[in-house]
Amino acid sequence: MRNPLKRLQTADPKPTLRDRLASMKAKPAGFAAETSQGRRAMLAGCMAAAMPLPALSASGQVASDGRGDYLARLLTAYAEDRACRPIAGLAENGSIEEAAADLVMRRCWALCMEILDLPAPQAPDGLALTALAATIELEVCLDNSTSRRARAGVALTRAVLAVTGMALPSGFVGFGDEPDCPDLDEALYGAKGSLPAWAIAEAKAGKAAKGSGTADGDYDEGDA
């Protein structure tokens, strides 16, 4: 079975952006795509909705939450995620490329959830970081969706981004309700892709550990 994200000509309707991302998140865990994406969207939205906003004007205000390292890691992980998408969309099932791209995407998603699991921020920079993590987690969640929880999560996330001045990350295609979201998604997957060395090494090590005995070539970052 080939990767569900490949751009093959079939008789089936073209999957929505939300369906495509959901299938990527759900495949290794064995969940149905709709269930996995719905749970993640609801989780991120509910976390954001339940998070108390810091009293920015109160006396004794915290100047910083000291989470600059998280921000640097998240921006790096997201940049790697964007670069791997063209490869993830074309890689053969079971290949080193597919495994490496999956590792990249899952590292980014896991970091988002790690940030959302942190104690509620007490300073504007921490609030902005939380909004950025929620932004990435909720990407294209509104594409062909009428979920009230997803809409609430996106609305709150957009509000926090605006209040904190946090810019959308480079390569972000949208929450799914923007008119240019499909075009941005096509541009993302049509760009020249690359994989980081750490992901290629881990994918090769994982395959070697399974003892499959199949050769997929020597893929190097930037080959796509």
Side-chain angles (χ1 to χ4, degrees), residues 53-200:
L53 298 180
L56 301 182
S57 61
S59 59
Q61 173 189 343
V62 177
S64 172
D65 282 311
R67 296 174 182 175
D69 179 62
Y70 271 110
L71 178 59
R73 288 171 56 200
L74 183 57
L75 292 175
T76 297
Y78 192 68
E80 291 178 342
D81 175 280
R82 300 294 87 178
C84 85
R85 291 307 176 103
I87 296 171
L90 296 173
E92 293 290 342
N93 188 36
S95 67
I96 293 295
E97 294 90 340
E98 183 196 43
D102 186 73
L103 287 169
V104 171
M105 291 184 290
R106 291 193 173 278
R107 172 181 281 193
C108 184
W109 292 327
L111 182 55
C112 285
M113 297 313 299
E114 182 181 343
I115 291 170
L116 292 172
D117 281 338
L118 292 172
Q122 300 299 311
D125 62 345
L127 187 60
L129 173 66
T130 300
L132 181 61
T135 295
I136 295 171
E137 185 60 34
L138 291 169
E139 189 168 19
V140 304
C141 73
L142 296 183
D143 181 54
N144 198 35
S145 171
T146 58
S147 168
R148 293 174 60 190
R149 289 184 176 88
R151 288 167 55 197
V154 169
L156 182 56
T157 299
R158 281 173 167 155
V160 177
L161 289 172
V163 170
T164 60
M166 173 62 76
L168 290 171
S170 178
F172 182 71
V173 303
F175 292 106
D177 59 345
E178 304 90 341
D180 61 346
C181 189
D183 292 336
L184 292 175
D185 182 75
E186 288 296 324
L188 173 66
Y189 280 86
K192 180 178 174 62
S194 65
L195 293 168
W198 68 263
I200 299 168

Side-chain angles (χ1 to χ4, degrees), residues 38-52:
R39 286 177 178 174
R40 282 182 171 273
M42 286 188 289
L43 180 59
C46 289
M47 282 181 172
M51 185 170 291

Side-chain angles (χ1 to χ4, degrees), residues 7-38:
R7 286 168 167 74
L8 297 179
Q9 296 297 325
T10 69
D12 298 329
K14 183 178 180 181
T16 64
L17 308 183
R18 179 168 169 266
D19 290 339
R20 183 163 65 184
L21 181 61
S23 67
M24 297 177 79
K25 290 186 175 183
K27 182 174 61 174
F31 294 121
E34 179 67 23
T35 301
S36 177
Q37 175 66 8

